[in-house]
Amino acid sequence: MIFKHQKILLVLEFIAVIAVTIYSGGYALNAPAQVAAETVVETEVESTVKESKEESETKKSETKAESEMVKKVAENKDKSDKKDNTSSGNKTDKNSAAPASGTASKSAANTSTQPSGSNNSHPAENGSSTPASSGGASSAPVNNPKPVTPSPSAPQTQAHTHNWVEKTRTVHHEATGHYEDVVVQEAWDEPIYGMVEVHICAECGEIDSSIDPNLHLGQTGHSNWWSEWKSVQIDSIHHDAVTESKWVEDSAAWDETVSDGYTCSGCGATK
């Protein structure tokens, strides 16, 4: 930076010599050389001024970035201090955090009030001011406070109360019983019928087959008899009772609710 300012001063001195030469009448003799020198000088001046402007813009952007960083650091520290004061309820911590926040804010303000453009606004008027201005701009990052990482507040744990819920399942029990013989049809005798000749008395009806019909008429004094065929039971067939095996239920089927323990609805613990 110092070299550039000295270069500018030399160029200005060279311009002054050329001006004196022109006024003294030497311009007419050395016009082509002087025109070429003036062109070179003007080009160098423009180039130097352009470089100075670019350097000034770069320093402005750097200073602005540093100022924003310092401001953010101060805000983060402020928030951290407020959070600590709220969780602990200690007024002493709050009072001790205030100077730190104020110092950070003051440092950010001092940094932001040092634009680098003011150092290069009059480069040609005073050569001795260049080192001081350059030194002032370079010392700004040294005073920046280090970022403070906010300490996380300890989480407050709440005692857990188990909410026990019983786990159950249903067990099915089948009906119980036994098989036994049940009479479906009772035993019975089937009659067998046949045709038998019987004697009929005209006055008293059927005559016993063991008595002679004529003897019957002599004994009774009846006058007449005759014979005819009649269907009578002559035999029988016995039929046993009909039975079958049937299920006799002793107890009906039923469902039983069985406990499988308890589970906490909140954390899933079991017992």
Side-chain angles (χ1 to χ4, degrees):
M1 186 69 183
I2 297 173
F3 177 75
K4 289 183 179 180
H5 286 295
Q6 290 177 351
K7 187 176 181 181
I8 293 172
L9 292 175
L10 291 174
V11 170
L12 293 176
E13 291 177 358
F14 187 72
I15 292 173
V17 171
I18 293 173
V20 172
T21 305
I22 292 172
Y23 283 112
S24 62
Y27 179 77
L29 297 175
N30 302 318
Q34 290 177 356
V35 171
E38 289 177 0
T39 303
V40 172
V41 170
E42 289 177 359
T43 303
E44 291 181 355
V45 170
E46 290 177 358
S47 175
T48 303
V49 171
K50 185 177 180 180
E51 291 177 357
S52 178
K53 286 182 178 181
E54 291 178 353
E55 185 177 355
S56 175
E57 291 296 329
T58 302
K59 284 200 170 186
K60 283 183 179 180
S61 61
E62 291 177 354
T63 304
K64 185 176 180 181
E66 292 173 357
S67 176
E68 290 179 355
M69 183 185 71
V70 172
K71 187 176 180 181
K72 287 181 179 180
V73 169
E75 289 177 356
N76 289 337
K77 175 150 181 76
D78 230 1
K79 289 179 180 179
S80 174
D81 293 340
K82 288 181 179 180
K83 186 174 181 181
D84 292 340
N85 292 335
T86 302
S87 60
S88 64
N90 194 343
K91 295 182 179 181
T92 305
D93 294 340
K94 185 175 180 181
N95 295 331
S96 62
S101 175
T103 305
S105 302
K106 184 176 180 181
S107 176
N110 293 334
T111 306
S112 61
T113 55
Q114 295 178 1
S116 59
S118 61
N119 296 331
N120 300 326
S121 58
H122 304 286
E125 293 179 3
N126 190 1
S128 61
S129 62
T130 302
S133 300
S134 176
S138 61
S139 62
V142 179
N143 297 327
N144 290 339
K146 294 183 179 179
V148 179
T149 304
S151 58
S153 58
Q156 297 181 355
T157 57
Q158 186 176 2
H160 174 67
T161 302
H162 292 299
N163 181 28
W164 297 111
V165 179
E166 185 178 12
K167 291 180 63 179
T168 60
R169 57 188 174 90
T170 301
V171 177
H172 179 73
H173 298 274
E174 298 292 342
T176 61
H178 64 282
Y179 287 95
E180 64 182 24
D181 293 334
V182 178
V183 176
V184 178
Q185 185 177 358
E186 297 291 342
W188 61 289
D189 293 330
E190 181 183 2
I192 303 300
Y193 292 92
M195 299 304 292
V196 178
E197 183 183 8
V198 295
H199 300 131
I200 304 298
C201 176
E203 295 182 14
C204 64
E206 183 178 348
I207 301 173
D208 188 0
S209 61
S210 63
I211 300 175
D212 182 55
N214 293 320
L215 182 60
H216 171 73
L217 291 179
Q219 292 177 350
T220 59
H222 294 163
S223 59
N224 191 20
W225 68 273
W226 67 87
S227 65
E228 59 183 38
W229 293 91
K230 182 180 179 181
S231 176
V232 295
Q233 181 178 351
I234 59 175
D235 201 355
S236 65
I237 299 175
H238 180 74
H239 296 275
D240 292 330
V242 178
T243 63
E244 65 179 8
S245 183
K246 284 188 176 181
W247 173 259
V248 179
E249 187 177 82
D250 296 329
S251 62
W254 59 289
D255 292 332
E256 179 185 9
T257 301
V258 179
S259 176
D260 283 341
Y262 295 83
T263 303
C264 177
S265 61
C267 65
T270 58
K271 71 172 185 176

